[in-house]
Amino acid sequence: MVYNIKPRYNVFSPRGEKNFAYVSSQLRGVVGLEIHAQIHATSKLFACSRVAFCSPPNSSVAFLDASLPGTLPVLNRRCVEAAVITGLALNCTINRKSLFDRKHYFYADMPAGYQITQQRLPIAVNGSLIYSYFGGRKRNQVLSRCVRIKQIQLEQDSGKSLHDDQRSQTLIDLNRAGVGLMELVMEADMSCGDEAAAAVRELQLILQTLGTCQGNMSEGQLRVDANVSVHCPGEPLGVRTEVKNINSARYVARAIDYEIQRQKKVLENGGIIVNETRAFDSKSGTTIPMRDKEGLQDYRFMPEPNLPPLFVYEDEASVPAGVNPTQVVMIDRLKAELPELPGVRRARMVDQYKILPEHSFTLVNEDGLTEYFERVVRNTKAEPRKVIGWVMKELLGNLNQQSLKLAQSPVSPEALADLLNVLESGHISSSAAKVVFQEMWKAPEKAVEQLVKELDLGLVSDREKLLKICQKVVDTHPEQSHTKLKWKNTLQSK
């Protein structure tokens, strides 16, 4: 997203350094994302306490989560495998050796006073995410982009502070403390909110397909921090702000676009951009200041003394002698288990079924819709393009109207295939088929043939039978028939 800005002032930093040199130039947004994905696992990263959303406060807290003296972390193998699988799906290099570190800072909901993370040597680096979004003047063109993935690191989540304003107190819930996270750091390769939101949606789909993260943003399973700045192309990047904890892809787009516009207005009016952390207010659609970052916080990173280096192996042949191969993480075994990823599936759907690219996005983005569509295609004689029309208009139309998920659809793929087969055979018209579909929605236990018969919607091809029907209509509506005949005679005389 590019805007022409006419300069009003020369902009300098407080130290007298020129902040932006823009004379008759264009300011462009620069966006990078840091995404925290909660690993889909039954227990936490370093403790055996279970992971459960909305469980009673402090009902799932191990001794380690509460940082009791003498407790030691034990690494969850499932979390390691999830990070490796995610790295492979995002074209990352998997480090055969990675390290854990302590990141020191104090929050009331972090009893230990530090977070175990991977600052020096993360588990995966140098990947890429290819995503697409609708752009162009009419927003009807499918545009593809690629954002670089700097690294994926394993780390602990913190607990949760519950603020009671009436009693002026804060309560601590440690259920979330110690839950395994993957932090995915994306390079600043995006320029607007639409691109960032599309990247988040694509990553969400990939994680859900892999099963490494459920990706429910409303439950905090996927949280986005956006680093936003503006600059003139060819000039150094501008001062960035960080918009923290955005919890939906739609809000990602709104927050970033607002922040880009805000920074442009500040510079246009001769101000300077402050390096700060901001929050997005979804009600007003604006970002608001939280705290500044002028003083660099010293996290006092140090190697985690209670965890040895983490090793993963290429294949069974690379496992050291004396080590049980079933007790280690092997890359080739996980690579063989990778499912069909969303981008590959879209391309296959377009190539195999000759559907439009935008239809492939809808099929893949809606959980289970691809499988539904393919089951209909396998059981009907109708062309895939005709099937996609029924899936998009009739099926999704009814689901959206009643706020239902696909799994709640009363019309099964086989039932829809039966309806399309009857339509293809010429026994009913397309308008009659739509009436039958609505009746199937109300009475899914009834077969298509039964509904066609009950509603008397079958097409009649017998000439004698058609003549009798027409004569019956004429006989039962004599006034209308006489009027039409009179008009016909009048027109013929003219």
Side-chain angles (χ1 to χ4, degrees), residues 292-487:
D292 67 69
K293 289 188 173 182
E294 290 299 326
L296 184 63
Q297 188 167 359
D298 182 11
Y299 292 116
R300 295 181 291 118
F301 283 104
M302 61 171 281
E304 169 54 54
N306 295 321
L307 286 168
L310 170 60
F311 290 96
V312 296
Y313 300 94
E314 184 66 36
D315 49 31
E316 191 169 340
S318 63
V319 178
V323 177
N324 187 346
T326 63
Q327 301 299 315
V328 299
V329 175
M330 287 190 290
I331 294 173
D332 66 338
R333 187 169 59 197
L334 296 175
K335 189 179 295 185
E337 297 174 0
L338 283 175
E340 183 181 45
L341 297 175
V344 176
R345 177 172 290 189
R346 290 192 202 98
R348 177 179 65 80
M349 300 292 284
V350 171
D351 181 63
Q352 182 175 347
Y353 300 112
K354 311 303 179 188
I355 62 176
L356 297 175
E358 51 264 37
H359 289 161
S360 73
F361 274 88
T362 304
L363 288 177
V364 174
N365 289 7
E366 182 73 28
D367 186 29
L369 193 58
T370 301
E371 291 76 10
Y372 188 104
F373 168 78
E374 292 189 310
R375 282 171 62 184
V376 176
V377 170
R378 285 196 298 268
N379 289 281
T380 184
K381 298 175 183 177
E383 291 292 323
R385 283 199 171 192
K386 184 174 288 187
V387 174
I388 197 70
W390 279 83
V391 169
M392 295 291 167
K393 294 178 183 178
E394 305 303 322
L395 177 69
L396 290 184
N398 278 271
L399 290 173
N400 293 334
Q401 189 175 13
Q402 300 181 32
S403 300
L404 298 176
K405 294 183 179 180
L406 181 64
Q408 298 171 297
S409 169
V411 179
S412 68
E414 289 72 24
L416 179 55
D418 289 342
L419 175 61
L420 294 178
N421 284 333
V422 173
L423 176 60
E424 287 295 304
S425 67
H427 290 129
I428 57 174
S429 66
S430 58
S431 58
K434 292 179 181 179
V435 174
V436 174
F437 183 88
Q438 296 302 326
E439 292 302 316
M440 291 167 62
W441 197 270
K442 299 174 186 175
E445 72 281 357
K446 293 185 179 182
V448 174
E449 293 79 4
Q450 180 183 354
L451 288 170
V452 171
K453 188 175 180 179
E454 289 179 0
L455 298 169
D456 195 20
L457 292 173
L459 294 175
V460 181
S461 57
D462 184 82
R463 179 180 175 82
E464 293 298 325
K465 193 173 182 180
L466 284 171
L467 286 172
K468 290 180 180 179
I469 293 172
C470 291
Q471 188 62 51
K472 184 178 179 181
V473 172
V474 172
D475 293 342
T476 54
H477 300 81
E479 294 183 4
Q480 290 88 337
S481 301
H482 178 74
T483 303
K484 288 183 179 179
L485 183 61
K486 183 179 179 181
W487 274 104

Side-chain angles (χ1 to χ4, degrees), residues 47-154:
C48 61
S49 44
R50 66 187 181 91
V51 177
F53 182 71
C54 275
S55 54
N58 296 308
S59 62
S60 183
V61 182
F63 293 147
L64 180 73
D65 304 330
S67 192
L68 296 184
T71 54
L72 295 173
V74 178
L75 183 58
N76 185 336
R77 176 177 168 175
R78 160 62 187 165
C79 294
V80 177
E81 290 180 337
V84 172
I85 293 171
T86 302
L88 292 172
L90 295 174
N91 309 302
C92 291
T93 299
I94 307 300
N95 285 324
R96 303 307 186 266
K97 175 186 176 182
S98 58
L99 303 172
F100 287 99
D101 305 279
R102 288 186 179 182
K103 178 181 180 181
H104 293 83
Y105 56 96
F106 176 77
Y107 281 145
D109 51 24
M110 185 177 287
Y114 61 85
Q115 174 193 43
I116 300 179
T117 183
Q118 292 188 307
Q119 188 262 347
R120 292 172 296 162
L121 191 58
I123 195 166
V125 294
N126 301 331
S128 61
L129 171 66
I130 297 173
Y131 63 95
S132 301
Y133 68 103
F134 290 99
R137 289 186 177 181
K138 298 183 179 180
R139 298 179 66 83
N140 59 354
Q141 298 177 349
V142 179
L143 305 177
S144 293
R145 297 286 186 270
C146 179
V147 57
R148 291 169 294 161
I149 307 291
K150 181 181 179 181
Q151 65 189 54
I152 300 174
Q153 61 196 50
L154 285 166

Side-chain angles (χ1 to χ4, degrees), residues 10-60:
N10 289 326
V11 183
F12 291 83
S13 73
R15 298 182 181 88
E17 301 161 336
K18 198 169 185 181
N19 199 12
F20 273 93
Y22 61 102
V23 178
S24 300
S25 61
Q26 297 172 323
L27 284 173
R28 179 183 176 88
V30 180
V31 181
L33 301 179
E34 296 175 9
I35 301 176
H36 290 87
Q38 180 180 311
I39 297 172
H40 183 39
T42 56
S43 57
K44 298 181 180 180
L45 183 58
F46 299 116
C48 61
S49 44
R50 66 187 181 91
V51 177
F53 182 71
C54 275
S55 54
N58 296 308
S59 62
S60 183

